[in-house]
Amino acid sequence: MKKVIFTIIKIFILIVIVAWMGLFVTDYFRAQNGEKPLVCLNERTVVSDGTKVEAGATYYSCTSFGYKYYTYTKSGESKTGFGPAFIKNDAEKELGI
């Protein structure tokens, strides 16, 4: 009986990991094309008021399951990135978020 339950738990964990990897790869390629991720758990938009960075600079981030997609626009130039959710990127450091 314990062996059956252990096998079911292993299969469930494997399915969750494969589903997460599929979502991650899909969102990575969507970010490369400038599209937003499929699942967005937390969205944040920050517009600079001119204290640290020039006024009008905008930062948009969309956090998903362990990773985030972000777009930073300053002086008409736009930078898009995709990376881990637990590490601050250069745009967040510059804005002091």
Side-chain angles (χ1 to χ4, degrees):
M1 183 67 178
K2 285 185 179 183
K3 194 172 189 177
V4 173
I5 292 174
F6 188 66
T7 305
I8 291 172
I9 290 172
K10 285 194 316 187
I11 291 171
F12 176 75
I13 290 173
L14 184 65
I15 289 171
V16 169
I17 290 172
V18 169
W20 179 80
M21 287 175 55
L23 184 63
F24 178 82
V25 169
T26 302
D27 285 346
Y28 174 78
F29 285 111
R30 287 177 61 90
Q32 295 299 316
N33 293 330
E35 300 174 16
K36 294 180 182 178
L38 292 174
V39 177
C40 197
L41 301 176
N42 183 18
E43 286 185 287
R44 178 170 46 167
T45 302
V46 177
V47 179
S48 175
D49 59 358
T51 55
K52 295 183 179 185
V53 183
E54 68 182 51
T58 59
Y59 174 77
Y60 167 80
S61 72
C62 172
T63 305
S64 191
F65 296 103
Y67 54 90
K68 68 181 161 189
Y69 164 82
Y70 64 91
T71 303
Y72 181 56
T73 305
K74 180 175 104 174
S75 302
E77 296 179 20
S78 182
K79 179 182 176 185
T80 301
F82 186 82
F86 51 87
I87 297 177
K88 285 190 172 189
N89 54 47
D90 294 335
E92 290 174 330
K93 291 176 185 174
E94 188 174 331
L95 289 170
I97 305 173

